[in-house]
């Protein structure tokens, strides 16, 4: 019975709740000067943040990626191409190196990021993108205890870099991958890909975005068409070789005919020599015709195997700017500090009340 009475006494009635809220309201009203100080400080801090915080610029490129589908080309072309060792079936389909989201991961790879960082600025072949990144992030001052960036020349070939230079490039790539780079699809069902670079430097954001997209898309295109390009080069070389042989055979046949314009039927040697030249010309013509036909098939195959990469939107100056507006900074700064002031008064009041009860 005593235990039940204790539980009942611990319950708060509506009347007690109202009285407590009135008490806290009276406490906060009595501390209005302190709350006003918190509010004023918050507004000043918010205004200062709007002036001191540098804006962040966003450079975004969106493009559509459509891979080739060789499955509908039919068996006739594959059968003809197989005569010269070309397997069209193995080159088609979408289950290749860049199927799915692999191209999105390619944008985050060390190879593509380092190649982009070491690319020259547009219109300035002496300055690399990595040099501009170091400058506007003031890395020479931040990293001066670890490395002397002023002595490093990033215009050298990559194989001539020192260990410290490679370390700097890797560290910057890590920062860009974490803070600046975003690669995503707006809708998983679409083939549209957005590549976004956020940076405090507007020029760096635009040129880095454009160079990265160009490097990745070129690498993607070259890799997807590597096999067909190699087959095309082999067929072209064979066609050129057979054409040279055909030209020589025609020249030899013409020379033999000129030497004996009216051969004597009784002289078999001259007749045999002329027939041999004629057979060489006919054989070379037949072989050359087949190779040219297969060469045209290989060209069609190469074009069909090339992925379609169409840029939809590219970054243009001025870039989209994200910064704290003065009015927004004042409002949010004041609200945050006002809440901190209320919380401070609440805790301090509870502390004094508990200390007084304990005493």
């Amino acid at each position: 019975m005593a235990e039940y009475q204790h539980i009942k006494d611990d319950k708060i009635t509506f009347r007690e709740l109202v009285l407590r809220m009135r008490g806290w309201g009276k406490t906060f009203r009595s501390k209005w000067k302190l709350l006003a100080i918190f509010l004023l400080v918050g507004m000043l801090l918010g205004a200062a943040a709007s002036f001191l915080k540098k804006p962040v610029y966003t450079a975004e490129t969106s493009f559509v990626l459509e891979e080739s589908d060789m499955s509908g080309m039919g068996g006739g072309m594959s059968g003809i191409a197989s005569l010269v060792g070309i397997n069209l079936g193995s080159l088609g389909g979408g289950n290749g190196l860049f199927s799915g989201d692999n191209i999105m991961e390619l944008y985050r790879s060390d190879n593509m990021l380092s190649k982009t960082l070491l690319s020259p600025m547009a219109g300035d072949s002496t300055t690399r993108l990595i040099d501009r990144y170091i400058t506007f992030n003031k890395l020479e001052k931040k990293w001066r205890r670890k490395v002397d960036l002023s002595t490093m020349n990033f215009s050298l070939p990559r194989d001539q870099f020192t260990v410290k230079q490679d370390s700097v490039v890797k560290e910057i790539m890590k920062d860009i991958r974490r803070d600046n780079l975003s690669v995503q699809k707006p809708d998983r069902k679409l083939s549209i890909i957005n590549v976004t670079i956020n940076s405090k430097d507007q020029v760096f954001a635009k040129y880095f975005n454009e160079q990265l997209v160009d490097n990745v898309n070129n690498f993607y295109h070259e890799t997807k068409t590597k096999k067909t390009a190699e087959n095309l080069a082999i067929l072209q070389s064979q066609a050129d070789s057979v054409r040279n042989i055909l030209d020589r055979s025609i020249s030899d046949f013409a020379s033999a005919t000129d030497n004996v314009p009216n051969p004597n039927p009784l002289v078999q040697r001259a007749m045999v020599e002329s027939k041999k030249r004629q057979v060489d010309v006919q054989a070379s013509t037949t072989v050359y015709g087949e190779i040219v036909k297969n060469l045209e098939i290989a060209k069609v195959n190469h074009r069909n195997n090339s992925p379609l990469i169409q840029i939809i939107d590219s970054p243009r100056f001025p870039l989209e700017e994200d910064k704290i507006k003065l009015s927004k900074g004042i409002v949010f700064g004041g609200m945050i500090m006002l809440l901190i002031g209320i919380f401070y008064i609440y805790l301090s009041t509870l502390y004094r009340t508990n200390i007084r009860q304990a005493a």
Side-chain angles (χ1 to χ4, degrees):
M1 188 67 180
E3 183 180 355
Y4 174 78
Q5 185 67 33
H6 176 70
I7 295 175
K8 185 177 180 180
D9 293 339
D10 285 343
K11 292 182 179 179
I12 300 177
T13 63
F14 179 74
R15 180 174 179 277
E16 292 175 342
L17 180 61
V18 172
L19 291 176
R20 289 190 181 186
M21 292 179 63
R22 287 180 178 178
W24 282 113
K26 187 180 297 184
T27 300
F28 291 134
R29 285 195 297 272
S30 65
K31 302 289 185 178
W32 69 269
K33 292 183 179 180
L34 181 60
L35 291 176
I37 292 175
F38 273 96
L39 178 63
L40 181 59
V41 171
M43 294 173 65
L44 292 175
L45 291 176
S50 64
F51 285 109
L52 298 178
K53 184 175 175 56
K54 292 184 177 180
V56 176
Y57 298 94
T58 300
E60 182 177 86
T61 296
S62 60
F63 62 91
V64 62
L65 173 65
E66 181 181 357
E67 297 189 15
S68 61
D69 184 9
M70 300 291 292
S71 60
M73 292 185 64
M77 186 175 292
S78 299
I80 296 174
S82 63
L83 295 175
V84 291
I86 302 177
N87 184 7
L88 297 182
S90 63
L91 298 176
N95 298 323
L97 176 63
F98 297 106
S99 61
D101 297 333
N102 287 357
I103 189 172
M104 298 174 65
E105 291 301 320
L106 186 60
Y107 275 92
R108 303 182 182 96
S109 66
D110 287 350
N111 183 25
M112 292 296 104
L113 289 177
S114 62
K115 185 176 181 180
T116 304
L117 276 173
L118 299 175
S119 300
M121 292 285 298
D124 186 2
S125 59
T126 60
T127 304
R128 297 294 190 264
L129 283 166
I130 190 173
D131 296 325
R132 189 168 186 101
Y133 183 90
I134 291 172
T135 300
F136 75 79
N137 280 290
K138 301 178 180 179
L139 296 184
E140 290 187 6
K141 182 184 296 185
K142 294 178 181 178
W143 295 356
R144 64 178 180 271
R145 295 182 179 180
K146 299 179 180 179
V147 65
D148 187 4
L149 293 175
S150 61
T151 62
M152 293 185 177
N153 182 12
F154 292 100
S155 300
L156 297 173
R158 187 67 189 273
D159 55 1
Q160 297 181 17
F161 276 19
T162 63
V163 176
K164 288 186 177 181
Q165 279 181 291
D166 284 328
S167 299
V168 169
V169 174
K170 289 181 179 179
E171 191 65 27
I172 292 177
M173 287 191 300
K174 186 189 302 182
D175 292 342
I176 290 176
R177 194 182 292 114
R178 183 186 66 243
D179 302 328
N180 307 107
L181 176 62
S182 173
V183 184
Q184 59 185 354
K185 289 184 178 181
D187 191 328
R188 304 298 299 179
K189 297 180 181 180
L190 302 179
S191 298
I192 297 176
I193 298 176
N194 293 338
V195 181
T196 305
I197 296 294
N198 297 313
S199 176
K200 297 177 182 178
D201 185 80
Q202 183 174 202
V203 176
F204 175 85
K206 180 179 185 297
Y207 291 142
F208 188 90
N209 182 284
E210 292 175 340
Q211 190 63 48
L212 179 62
V213 171
D214 188 56
N215 288 340
V216 173
N217 289 351
N218 286 340
F219 178 83
Y220 176 74
H221 185 275
E222 291 172 2
T223 306
K224 286 288 292 183
T225 59
K226 184 177 181 180
K227 290 182 179 180
T228 53
E230 291 175 351
N231 287 329
L232 185 61
I234 292 172
L235 281 174
Q236 186 64 59
S237 177
Q238 291 177 348
D240 294 339
S241 298
V242 174
R243 180 56 189 264
N244 292 332
I245 294 174
L246 177 60
D247 291 341
R248 287 198 300 269
S249 298
I250 293 174
S251 298
D252 293 342
F253 178 71
S255 299
T257 303
D258 291 340
N259 292 334
V260 187
N262 297 309
N264 188 347
L266 300 177
V267 182
Q268 296 296 323
R269 183 176 181 182
M271 293 293 293
V272 170
E273 190 68 24
S274 178
K275 288 291 184 182
K276 287 175 61 178
R277 302 295 184 188
Q278 187 176 1
V279 169
D280 291 342
V281 171
Q282 292 175 348
S284 299
T285 301
T286 302
V287 173
Y288 181 70
E290 289 296 323
I291 291 180
V292 169
K293 182 169 60 177
N294 292 323
L295 179 61
E296 293 303 317
I297 293 173
K299 289 180 180 179
V300 173
N301 179 34
H302 182 67
R303 287 194 297 268
N304 289 334
N305 196 54
S306 300
L308 173 63
I309 302 176
Q310 182 63 48
I311 301 295
I312 301 174
D313 293 313
S314 58
R316 294 179 179 275
F317 290 128
L319 299 181
E320 181 181 348
E321 185 179 8
D322 182 17
K323 66 177 182 179
I324 301 176
K325 295 182 179 179
L326 180 60
S327 58
K328 186 177 179 180
I330 292 174
V331 172
F332 277 93
M335 290 177 60
I336 292 173
M337 288 302 296
L338 182 61
L339 291 175
I340 293 175
I342 293 173
F343 192 63
Y344 169 76
I345 293 173
Y346 175 75
L347 290 180
S348 61
T349 302
L350 286 180
Y351 177 77
R352 286 195 302 269
T353 302
N354 291 331
I355 291 296
R356 189 180 301 114
Q357 289 179 354

